[in-house]
Amino acid sequence: MFSGFSLFPTQASTLAPEIDNLYLGVILITAFFAIVVVVCVTYFAIKYRDHTGDKIGAPITGSVPLELGWSLIPFVIAIGIFVWASIVFFHIVRAPDQTLEIYSTGKRWMWRFQHIDGQREINELHVPVGRAVRVVFTSEDVLHDLFIPAFRVKADAVPGRYSAIWFEPTRVGEYHLFCAEYCGTRHSGMIGTVYVMEAADYQAWASGGGATAGGTLVQRGEGLFTQLACVTCHLPDGTGRGPSLAGVYGSQVTLESGETVTADESYLRESILMSQAKTVKGYEHIMPTFQGLINEDGVAALIEYIKSLQAGGNRVASAQ
Ligand code: CUA
């Protein structure tokens, strides 16, 4: 009768056991104290019941050891849970340095994915087993939420900014992919499948089936860079009207205001779509906005291209 019934989804990423253990730990601690309280209440209620009905309980004025005990023990337990949960939290939010980047866009009512090698897919996500994968995503319309229960990862897709999740799949197989934020009539249909493949199968998949017809993400980005005339201002040697983009990704950029920001994906995205938001120190406020001229997939391609530009103007292969 309960065949196929499971309380938890399969554990298919390195994060999954960590999150489940924390959850189980909190449940066990809570259950332990709930049981102790119920047993004590029941036991004392029976043991000290008043047969005659006319006795009055002894006045209790307090007990220092008891009060210290019921303050300190829960304090230590609560701090213990806090520290444990914080460690797990940092593992969830901090992706390892070397990750396979995949770009995604949520829109009513589908998830689009773009791989570095050029493969594009809708409501399907192919990833290799045993490799840390980072999905950078945004929304083209309303709030969505990318949720892969088997990996225990979930984050909102917010229009106008990037979110990211990372996971390292541990088991080959097919897993559910959901939108976990009500986004309109067909929200329940905004679902898909994650295919975790052997590394070699993934390589074959990523480079096969006409994947390279539109070029890799970097090549598409390079095309857009020329097509949108970015290339006329952002000269590689820094003599153009805009700053050189060589080696900019991941670097610290000083703004006009004197403020310093890290040039991550969100910064690059904002600088393309809302070019007036931040101006690099020493440059003029002249870059036009590319809002409406380029879609999210194009922005992802441009960012991947910018990432591939290293200091000195050389291109490096983005393959890791
Ligand atoms: Cu998209 Cu719910």
Side-chain angles (χ1 to χ4, degrees):
M1 164 183 188
F2 290 112
S3 67
F5 175 83
S6 61
L7 283 175
F8 290 88
T10 324
Q11 293 183 338
S13 79
T14 51
L15 290 173
E18 278 191 61
I19 290 162
D20 288 0
N21 290 344
L22 173 65
Y23 182 72
L24 200 67
V26 173
I27 293 281
L28 287 178
I29 293 167
T30 314
F32 171 77
F33 284 99
I35 290 166
V36 167
V37 168
V38 170
V39 167
C40 288
V41 166
T42 313
Y43 174 74
F44 291 128
I46 294 167
K47 180 167 170 150
Y48 295 108
R49 71 190 186 280
D50 177 7
H51 298 278
T52 61
D54 56 7
K55 288 183 189 153
I56 293 169
I60 298 169
T61 53
S63 154
V64 173
L66 207 58
E67 285 171 20
L68 280 178
W70 77 49
S71 303
L72 290 179
I73 293 170
F75 175 76
V76 170
I77 292 171
I79 291 297
I81 293 173
F82 170 73
V83 170
W84 184 5
S86 301
I87 293 169
V88 175
F89 177 77
F90 281 115
H91 289 168
I92 295 169
V93 296
R94 273 201 202 143
D97 289 338
Q98 291 295 315
T99 52
L100 174 70
E101 312 266 292
I102 294 172
Y103 286 87
S104 176
T105 309
K107 63 174 281 192
R108 286 181 292 179
W109 284 277
M110 63 171 85
W111 291 105
R112 293 200 307 266
F113 295 96
Q114 291 197 99
H115 295 254
I116 301 287
D117 290 331
Q119 282 280 18
R120 287 194 253 199
E121 43 187 345
I122 290 176
N123 292 341
E124 289 190 346
L125 174 60
H126 290 75
V127 289
V129 72
R131 173 119 178 244
V133 177
R134 182 161 164 264
V135 184
V136 178
F137 58 101
T138 184
S139 163
E140 248 173 36
D141 39 40
V142 298
L143 274 184
H144 301 279
D145 189 298
L146 185 58
F147 181 31
I148 308 169
F151 299 161
R152 309 292 189 275
V153 290
K154 182 173 179 290
D156 274 0
V158 185
R161 57 173 259 202
Y162 276 135
S163 308
I165 53 173
W166 84 271
F167 50 81
E168 185 180 323
T170 51
R171 294 166 63 147
V172 169
E174 293 176 20
Y175 306 100
H176 289 297
L177 166 87
F178 294 106
C179 173
E181 180 79 52
Y182 182 68
C183 54
T185 320
R186 290 194 47 227
H187 156 72
S188 62
M190 197 169 161
I191 54 176
T193 309
V194 180
Y195 298 90
V196 177
M197 313 166 88
E198 293 294 353
D201 296 341
Y202 174 78
Q203 270 314 324
W205 175 86
S207 53
T212 46
T216 65
L217 211 50
V218 170
Q219 287 163 347
R220 282 213 293 273
E222 190 173 13
L224 282 168
F225 200 75
T226 311
Q227 194 186 322
L228 296 168
C230 315
V231 69
T232 56
C233 292
H234 294 283
L235 301 179
D237 58 5
T239 58
R241 282 182 292 169
S244 162
L245 299 179
V248 71
Y249 177 71
S251 70
Q252 297 290 316
V253 174
T254 308
L255 304 177
E256 216 178 25
S257 59
E259 202 188 335
T260 307
V261 293
T262 305
D264 56 8
E265 285 109 349
S266 296
Y267 168 80
L268 295 177
R269 182 182 183 283
E270 184 190 60
S271 299
I272 296 166
L273 297 179
M274 284 154 278
S275 47
Q276 300 292 311
K278 295 188 175 84
T279 304
V280 177
K281 193 182 164 91
Y283 288 90
E284 279 181 72
H285 232 47
I286 50 170
M287 177 167 159
T289 171
F290 286 84
Q291 189 94 54
L293 295 174
I294 181 174
N295 65 10
E296 290 295 347
D297 296 356
V299 174
L302 271 178
I303 290 176
E304 233 6 82
Y305 171 65
I306 294 169
K307 279 185 182 178
S308 76
L309 298 171
Q310 294 298 300
N314 298 320
R315 266 267 303 283
V316 294
S318 66
Q320 289 157 19

